[in-house]
Amino acid sequence: MPGYTPPPAPGYLPPPQPPQRPTRTTTVLVAAAAAVVAAVLAAVVTARVGGDGEAEAAPTVTVTRTVPADAGDTVADTGSDEATEESTAEEAGGDSYGFDDTIVYDNDVEVSLSKFSRAVSSDYAAPENTPYAKFTIKIVNRSDKKVDASMMTVNCAYGDEGKEGEAIYDDGLDGLPDTSILAGRSLSVPWGCELPKGESFLQIEVAPDYESETSIFTGEVKK
C-alpha cells in the first residue's frame, strides 16, 4: 500500500537522537540571568554601606599610650604629646601597666585605677568574711558616642602563682553599673577583689567593653 511503512522488527530500537545544542536564544537568557544575580549581589553589598554611601569602619580599641592618672573627677586634657609615652599594642605585647597609669584607647576611651585600700567582707557579702583589696575604676569617655558601662569586664589575680581573686559583692560594692557613659562624661566604679592578708601583689584586668583589648594593671597593695 502506498505510503505504508512496516513496523520495526522485534528487538529493534531506533537510533538515539544527538543532543540539541543550545541556541543563541538560550545563551542570551543564561547571560541575562547571570546579570540579574550580579545586580542582586551588588544591591546586598550596597545595603551594608552607610546611608551617606561610605562604609562605616569598625572602631579599633587597642591600647595606644599611657599617661599619668587624673586625680580629679572631671574630664581633663591629657596634656602635650611630649608628656605622653607612645606604646602600641604590638610593642606592649604581654606587658602590664602600673596602678598609677591611665590606659588610653584609640577610640578616646580611658581607663584608670585609684583609691586602693584593704578590707574584709561582711557576714552578708559574697564571698563573706574574705580579705580583699578595694579600689576605684574610672572610665572617661572622650569619644562622640556613649559607652555602655554594663559591658565592662574586670578580672583579678594575686600572688606570684597568679591565683584567681574573686570579685567581692558587699555594701558599696554592687558590681557593674547598669548605665551608659555619655560622650564627654566619666564614671567611677568601686570594686573589690579577693586578696589574702599575706599577699600584696595584685593583677587587675579591665576592658571597657567586649570588643576592647584588655588592659592589665599590676602592683603591690600595702599590707
Side-chain angles (χ1 to χ4, degrees), residues 122-145:
S122 66
D123 296 337
Y124 305 98
E128 73 278 6
N129 301 318
T130 300
Y132 69 93
K134 183 179 180 180
F135 52 91
T136 297
I137 304 171
K138 184 176 181 180
I139 307 294
V140 180
N141 181 13
R142 299 183 188 276
S143 71
D144 57 357
K145 298 180 180 179

Side-chain angles (χ1 to χ4, degrees), residues 61 148-154 176 207-214:
V61 287
D148 187 354
S150 66
M151 295 178 63
M152 180 171 61
T153 59
V154 185
L176 296 177
D209 54 51
Y210 296 146
E211 298 179 352
S212 298
E213 180 180 324
T214 299

Side-chain angles (χ1 to χ4, degrees), residues 23-96:
T23 62
R24 179 175 177 81
T25 302
T26 304
T27 304
V28 171
L29 291 177
V30 172
V36 171
V37 172
V40 172
L41 292 177
V44 172
V45 173
T46 304
R48 295 181 179 269
V49 179
D52 55 357
E54 297 182 358
E56 297 181 359
T60 55
V61 287
T62 54
V63 178
T64 56
R65 61 190 185 276
T66 62
V67 296
D70 180 14
D73 292 331
T74 59
V75 177
D77 185 34
T78 57
S80 64
D81 293 338
E82 296 179 355
T84 300
E85 178 185 354
E86 295 294 338
S87 174
T88 62
E90 291 76 14
E91 292 172 346
D95 294 343
S96 61

